[in-house]
């Protein structure tokens, strides 16, 4: 199975992140979501382009790194696709 993943826009509102953290979060999201999709795939019937994906709840603390946040976001989105 071949999966193409393209995230056009990732909106992170209300989080205490600096603008410089955006690329780190984006990279972690892409890396973890690619890993999860490669290992677990998607739910049957999910094919084609999706205009948006709603995820499950994400826990974030001030001690969380941008990479940890990105990983949690990817897991949340994957959970929403399952």
């Amino acid at each position: 199975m071949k999966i193409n993943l393209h995230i056009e826009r990732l909106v992170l509102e209300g989080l205490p992140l600096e603008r410089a953290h955006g690329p780190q979060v984006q990279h972690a999201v892409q890396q973890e979501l690619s890993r999860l999709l490669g290992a677990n795939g998607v739910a049957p019937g999910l094919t084609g382009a999706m205009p948006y994906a709603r995820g499950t709840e994400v826990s974030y603390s001030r001690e969380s790194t941008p990479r940890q946040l990105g990983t949690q976001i990817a897991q949340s989105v994957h959970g929403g696709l399952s």
Side-chain angles (χ1 to χ4, degrees):
M1 175 193 311
K2 182 177 181 179
I3 298 173
N4 291 313
L5 174 65
H6 173 74
I7 301 172
E8 185 173 320
R9 185 173 178 205
L10 179 63
V11 178
L12 305 172
E13 293 180 353
L15 296 175
L17 292 173
E18 297 177 20
R19 184 177 208 94
H21 292 146
Q24 296 170 341
V25 173
Q26 178 185 1
H27 179 74
V29 169
Q30 290 174 335
Q31 191 173 33
E32 178 68 1
L33 193 51
S34 293
R35 183 190 73 77
L36 289 168
L37 290 171
N40 306 315
V42 295
L46 282 181
T47 60
M50 297 174 63
Y52 67 91
R54 193 174 303 270
T56 59
E57 188 172 325
V58 172
S59 299
Y60 180 77
S61 71
R62 295 199 181 274
E63 293 81 32
S64 297
T65 66
R67 177 161 184 76
Q68 290 169 325
L69 177 60
T71 299
Q72 286 187 31
I73 291 169
Q75 292 167 351
S76 169
V77 170
H78 186 264
L81 296 176
S82 301

